Amino acid sequence: MSKRILVCSIILFSFLLGNFNIELGFALKPFMITSFFLIISLSLSNIRSIQLSNFDYMFFTLSIYGGITAMFSPDIIAGLRLFILSQLCMVCYLSTTLYFTQLKYSVQEINHSILITGFLFNIFSFIFYFIGLYTVLNDGDFGNFSGQDIFGLTIDRGLPRMIGLTFDPNFFVMFNIIFFYFLAFKKRNKFESFTFILVALAIIFSLSRGGILAIALPIFYNFFQSFIRLKISKRAIRISIFVIILILAIALYMGDFLYIILEKRFGNLGSGSGRTSLINTMFELIASNPLFGVGWHNFRYYNNEITGNYHYGHNTFLELLTELGLVGFFLYTFFLIFVFHRAYKISSIEPTLSYLKYSFWAFMISMFFLSSIVNEVFFLYMILIKTYYNALTHKI
């Protein structure tokens, strides 16, 4: 492994360690620390300016608008904290992108770094998960740890769910989207195949309905598209067979416990784990102020006032429509369109990078089940897009 790839892997890995932060009134995360050193490094070089993309301008506009709405909201502090976080993430994202482009990282170097990062993220996640599982089983009863996070494990309604190095099983799957699709449709060597198995198992062990759906739907789309064109590749068939065998093997191994999991995770689809009440509250708030919203990061305040529950909306798009209204919703929509257009353009130039398209759709599906307007893993995705584009077109 070259020094360049090692440095790139460390930087990428730092974006996945948000759960390991220092509380300073805000969460000081590892990627912020690495970005600080990158800014120092860049300041010592002859950097005069950086050319921003359309989606950079659009997200910056969305953030400024969100900050303005926060000033007129009942929970001003919450809104301003998200505004500051969004600006900080933008600085970290731009400094990382500029660092990679100035050093002229190639597509091969970025790909190698993604593989190493995916392996490290999941191998450490499994280590934390099994330590947590051993701790719980040593006590003998999942019920004694209900609602608790134990290392890389969380006990949710009596079920052991994998959170790895993150804080939530649904976000854990979201953090694995890039790695899954990077490995899914490529010709893999032994190390890549082993890493792919780690990623697939980790996603299954999360027991995340929304996360698994976000992973599965783009695969089905790819398979269906190949079927329509009568070009079902051997690789697509192998992936399908692998997933089926993996699920069957887990089912046979887990026995009755699998039935309990299915009953608890899918037996309450109608209630959506309390999401029905959240959606009703969001629609009520949207109707009260459809144009400008109730203020950035203020849904939890209103939800607490209305229902007595201080919960997120668990749907990025509805929550954004609630907080920022139609104005903010359209800004965010254009931001996403610009991001996808760049991902599509990259995959057109270099078909081996088509995983960026599938990752984008998986992110969109996962956002239907999460509150993630400002999320470091999507900024990581944008870093990859800009770095790939620079490597392919020699532009920043």
Side-chain angles (χ1 to χ4, degrees):
M1 183 194 307
S2 69
K3 181 181 178 181
R4 285 166 58 88
I5 293 175
L6 176 62
V7 171
C8 183
S9 301
I10 292 173
I11 295 172
L12 297 182
F13 192 46
S14 69
F15 277 82
L16 307 175
L17 299 174
N19 202 34
F20 301 86
N21 56 71
I22 302 172
E23 185 58 40
L24 299 174
F26 68 97
L28 181 64
K29 300 183 179 183
F31 76 90
M32 299 176 184
I33 298 174
T34 57
S35 298
F36 172 75
F37 287 107
L38 294 182
I39 292 172
I40 293 177
S41 175
L42 290 169
S43 66
L44 298 176
S45 59
N46 296 320
I47 304 296
R48 294 185 178 180
S49 63
I50 178 172
Q51 183 176 340
L52 301 178
S53 303
N54 289 334
F55 49 83
D56 296 332
Y57 287 114
M58 195 57 63
F59 188 85
F60 180 72
T61 304
L62 174 71
S63 176
I64 295 297
Y65 169 71
I68 294 173
T69 65
M71 295 296 295
F72 298 94
S73 65
D75 194 350
I76 298 176
I77 300 300
L80 291 181
R81 287 182 67 179
L82 187 59
F83 167 73
I84 294 171
L85 174 63
S86 67
Q87 296 298 307
L88 186 57
C89 285
M90 277 291 290
V91 171
C92 295
Y93 148 69
L94 291 173
S95 62
T96 303
T97 302
L98 184 56
Y99 179 80
F100 286 157
T101 54
Q102 285 298 123
L103 269 65
K104 294 182 172 57
Y105 271 89
S106 66
V107 170
Q108 291 73 23
E109 287 175 319
I110 294 296
N111 286 347
H112 197 168
S113 300
I114 293 173
L115 174 62
I116 294 171
T117 304
F119 171 76
L120 291 175
F121 177 69
N122 283 281
I123 200 69
F124 281 115
S125 289
F126 265 108
I127 291 172
F128 274 68
Y129 172 75
F130 284 120
I131 292 174
L133 196 61
Y134 174 79
T135 302
V136 173
L137 293 177
N138 195 46
D139 183 82
D141 188 5
F142 287 143
N144 294 340
F145 295 87
S146 181
Q148 297 183 40
D149 296 344
I150 307 95
F151 294 96
L153 172 75
T154 187
I155 306 300
D156 180 21
R157 282 163 287 181
L159 295 177
R161 303 180 64 187
M162 187 171 181
I163 58 175
L165 300 181
T166 67
F167 60 92
D168 180 89
N170 302 303
F171 276 101
F172 177 65
V173 176
M174 189 182 191
F175 276 44
N176 259 316
I177 285 175
I178 292 173
F179 307 124
F180 181 87
Y181 283 106
F182 172 74
L183 293 166
F185 301 115
K186 72 190 299 287
K187 187 176 181 180
R188 299 180 295 273
N189 57 36
K190 291 182 179 179
F191 179 68
E192 291 171 333
S193 296
F194 176 70
T195 303
F196 181 60
I197 292 173
L198 279 180
V199 174
L201 283 173
I203 290 170
I204 292 173
F205 286 178
S206 73
L207 304 180
S208 170
R209 294 173 302 194
I212 292 173
L213 185 66
I215 293 292
L217 286 183
I219 290 180
F220 289 144
Y221 170 77
N222 176 266
F223 190 84
F224 180 74
Q225 192 178 46
S226 299
F227 181 78
I228 293 297
R229 296 176 180 176
L230 298 178
K231 294 181 180 180
I232 302 178
S233 66
K234 293 181 180 179
R235 190 175 303 137
I237 295 174
R238 284 199 299 268
I239 292 173
S240 301
I241 293 174
F242 165 76
V243 171
I244 292 172
I245 292 176
L246 184 63
I247 293 174
L248 289 175
I250 293 173
L252 290 173
Y253 177 75
M254 299 180 78
D256 293 338
F257 187 58
L258 181 65
Y259 173 76
I260 296 173
I261 291 174
L262 293 175
E263 183 181 37
K264 290 187 176 182
R265 293 303 296 153
F266 295 95
N268 61 344
L269 285 175
S271 65
S273 300
R275 286 184 172 88
T276 302
S277 174
L278 293 170
I279 290 174
N280 290 336
T281 303
M282 283 189 282
F283 278 129
E284 182 180 336
L285 293 172
I286 290 170
S288 69
N289 198 337
L291 189 59
F292 300 109
V294 299
W296 209 10
H297 211 44
N298 267 245
F299 170 74
R300 288 200 298 173
Y301 171 86
Y302 281 99
N303 189 47
N304 185 52
E305 291 291 312
I306 295 172
T307 67
N309 296 316
Y310 196 64
H311 293 160
Y312 287 103
H314 293 291
N315 185 308
T316 298
F317 304 104
L318 280 180
E319 190 169 314
L320 187 138
L321 185 58
T322 301
E323 296 179 347
L324 300 184
L326 288 170
V327 175
F329 184 81
F330 282 118
L331 287 174
Y332 192 65
T333 300
F334 281 115
F335 160 71
L336 293 177
I337 290 173
F338 287 137
V339 171
F340 179 72
H341 179 265
R342 180 60 58 87
Y344 184 84
K345 189 171 184 179
I346 291 171
S347 63
S348 299
I349 299 173
E350 180 52 68
T352 60
L353 300 178
S354 62
Y355 83 91
L356 292 171
K357 293 189 300 182
Y358 296 106
S359 296
F360 178 86
W361 292 120
F363 277 125
M364 295 303 100
I365 297 169
S366 67
M367 287 180 183
F368 270 96
F369 305 94
L370 296 170
S371 298
S372 57
I373 297 174
V374 180
N375 183 274
E376 56 261 40
V377 74
F378 198 75
F379 278 107
L380 175 60
Y381 174 73
M382 290 163 59
I383 288 170
L384 295 177
I385 286 178
K386 294 198 74 170
T387 307
Y388 278 134
Y389 189 72
N390 176 73
L392 293 170
T393 64
H394 304 292
K395 296 179 180 179
I396 298 179

